[in-house]
Amino acid sequence: MKRGVLLLAILLAVLTASAPPPPTPRESPESIAARGAGKPARADGLNCPSTLDCVWLPAVFGPVLGRPGEYKYAPANRPAQPRIKYIVIHGTESSYESTIATAQNPSEPNSWHYSIRSGDGRVAQHLGLKDIGWHTGNHFISWHSIGIEHEGYAGEPGFYTEAMYRASATLVRHLARQFGIPLDRQHILGHDNVPGMTPQWVRRMHTDPGPFWDWAHYFELLDAPLRAEAGNLITIAPDYATTQPAFTGCTAPTRVCPKHGSSAVLLRSLPQADAPLVNDLVLDPDGGASTMNISDQGAHATAGQRYVVAEVRGDWTAIWYLGRKAWFANPASSPNALPGSGRVARPKTGRATIPVYGWPLPDLPVVLPYLLQAGQGYAVSAIIDGFEFIMTTDASGARTGGWTVRAGGASYAQIQFGHRVMFVSLDDVDVT
């Protein structure tokens, strides 16, 4: 069978993947903390700082129930092949116990490397870091990332406890040093920053850990606080405590959420407070504006993300976002952004529009329905050399759950295109 056909088969399998299991009944952070936990003996192969309460609760490798050819996770040889480039921060939308049960069920399709308990910050490791967990909905990001689940619900910020933040930051610092991962928002991603691989998959991408995750505080704990830098970009940096958008959908679809600090800056179609939010051409195909529902992130920029300034009018700043200008309040007296620096991707001279991709796969590029147009610029967070992957098979040609990745093909730039990162071919853009 030709390699292109194999690649297409993988993509079709991804598109038919089912949603994660439904949340279990909610438990309060107080009752979680009351459970307590003794420190377990450390298991061989456990990759965790000695200062943390860590336990090895391994995922069981096996075929996914009802999905021929799919496996719980992919045995691999990371970081030699492929390299580990990202850490992805997740929210479980379920209890710690339910999360552990899913991680250890070989017939469940999802897998990730660590889970962190809300009340006390206990860390459970499920996969060796050499292996690939299916935790992002984007094969490229999953191949190259470590997934960390955090017990809690995006609409209930009380689950994001200080014990959890500190345990998570200690773990991420340890992993970033080990694998050379930059401590910035372009490599420490939220699940809500991961792009869909295809137009159909964009609408199914997850929105955790959500706008109540305190990214600025988290990066302070990582010893990599958000800072002003002289340059050509801006870094989103709202004051978490006083930024309290009137989100809906935390406990009921139309109910306004309790006021709470947020890392999210709202983006509007015009430089005025009553202007509609910008719309996402995929999430809002009829041209309607984004909404204030906590799961609708079509008009959010969050702390640490970097963008190119398109225009400034008084207390309002416009950035290039999803192919258009998006405005946010940025008064000098209480700014929501810091000056930043970095590389910028712009269309090559003479190109009116260029395609945007959800993954940098030269053999099977799938264009997303967004347009990067002449005159626009987007912050570049990485240059990705071309690669290809080959499924591991046994003597009969049956899949064994693994992949081999090797260099080859076109190269791409990873850009901050909207709330999520996306990719453009270096054949289409100039990076300056």
Side-chain angles (χ1 to χ4, degrees):
M1 184 182 292
K2 294 184 179 179
R3 180 162 52 86
V5 176
L6 290 173
L7 294 172
L8 182 58
I10 292 174
L11 184 58
L12 291 174
V14 172
L15 293 177
T16 57
S18 64
T24 59
R26 286 158 169 68
E27 184 177 3
S28 71
E30 291 76 19
S31 65
I32 293 170
R35 292 188 227 133
K39 190 163 186 174
R42 305 184 75 85
D44 290 342
L46 187 69
N47 193 323
C48 195
S50 60
T51 56
L52 292 182
D53 175 14
C54 297
V55 62
W56 175 252
L57 298 175
V60 179
F61 182 75
V64 175
L65 184 64
R67 298 187 189 179
E70 291 190 38
Y71 292 80
K72 178 72 172 178
Y73 62 89
N77 188 33
R78 303 189 314 172
Q81 195 177 58
R83 180 185 166 193
I84 298 174
K85 302 179 180 182
Y86 310 96
I87 297 173
V88 180
I89 303 300
H90 297 262
T92 61
E93 295 297 314
S94 65
S95 70
Y96 179 78
E97 287 80 6
S98 176
T99 301
I100 299 303
T102 299
Q104 294 188 298
N105 186 341
S107 65
E108 290 279 0
N110 308 107
S111 54
W112 55 93
H113 298 87
Y114 297 91
S115 299
I116 302 182
R117 192 157 62 185
S118 173
D120 57 8
R122 163 174 269 200
V123 178
Q125 184 173 352
H126 312 298
L127 295 179
L129 299 182
K130 69 179 183 63
D131 295 327
I132 297 168
W134 302 126
H135 60 99
T136 70
N138 183 305
H139 272 1
F140 175 77
I141 301 295
S142 290
W143 292 333
H144 293 282
S145 68
I146 297 167
I148 305 177
E149 289 280 1
H150 297 76
E151 181 186 21
Y153 303 85
E156 299 182 29
F159 278 88
Y160 296 148
T161 63
E162 187 65 14
M164 171 180 281
Y165 278 127
R166 290 183 177 273
S168 180
T170 299
L171 176 62
V172 168
R173 282 200 313 270
H174 165 79
L175 297 172
R177 284 195 299 267
Q178 182 174 352
F179 296 106
I181 301 170
L183 289 174
D184 58 39
R185 284 284 279 118
Q186 292 70 50
H187 297 86
I188 311 301
L189 299 171
H191 196 184
D192 52 357
N193 306 135
V194 175
M197 293 185 294
T198 70
Q200 298 90 335
W201 198 250
V202 168
R203 298 182 65 85
R204 301 177 65 181
M205 295 304 289
H206 288 215
T207 59
D208 56 290
F212 292 138
W213 182 267
D214 191 345
W215 284 108
H217 178 54
Y218 192 60
F219 272 83
E220 289 172 352
L221 296 175
L222 289 173
D223 296 328
L226 308 182
R227 293 191 177 98
E229 299 175 340
N232 54 337
L233 302 174
I234 60 168
T235 299
I236 302 299
D239 178 75
Y240 181 86
T242 60
T243 301
Q244 299 185 355
F247 292 121
T248 62
C250 288
T251 57
T254 59
R255 187 174 299 167
V256 176
C257 301
K259 285 188 174 295
H260 196 279
S262 173
S263 291
V265 169
L266 299 179
L267 301 173
R268 300 192 178 275
S269 55
L270 295 169
Q272 55 196 52
D274 59 352
L277 298 173
V278 297
N279 77 311
D280 184 308
L281 294 175
V282 179
L283 302 181
D284 306 294
D286 59 356
S290 298
T291 71
M292 289 299 296
N293 189 282
I294 193 169
S295 296
D296 185 346
Q297 297 176 333
H300 291 185
T302 55
Q305 292 181 322
R306 298 182 303 174
Y307 297 92
V308 175
V309 174
E311 187 179 350
V312 176
R313 294 187 197 174
D315 289 342
W316 289 82
T317 298
I319 56 175
W320 292 117
Y321 185 94
L322 293 178
R324 69 198 64 198
K325 289 182 181 180
W327 295 87
F328 67 96
N330 192 31
S333 58
S334 54
N336 284 314
L338 300 169
S341 64
R343 294 174 293 184
V344 176
R346 301 182 188 276
K348 287 185 179 293
T349 302
R351 297 291 300 274
T353 61
I354 66 166
V356 179
Y357 302 94
W359 64 348
L361 186 62
D363 300 85
L364 192 64
V366 180
V367 178
L368 299 182
Y370 302 105
L371 292 177
L372 196 167
Q373 304 184 57
Q376 299 179 1
Y378 293 87
V380 173
S381 48
I383 301 297
I384 299 163
D385 292 333
F387 70 96
E388 58 185 359
F389 70 93
I390 301 173
M391 292 184 296
T392 304
T393 58
D394 61 21
S396 68
R399 285 178 54 183
T400 62
W403 283 263
T404 298
V405 181
R406 66 187 184 195
S411 295
Y412 289 75
Q414 176 183 309
I415 61 173
Q416 189 70 58
F417 191 63
H419 183 68
R420 302 179 189 272
V421 298
M422 297 184 196
F423 304 93
V424 290
S425 170
L426 289 185
D427 292 337
D428 296 329
V429 298
D430 292 317
V431 176
T432 59

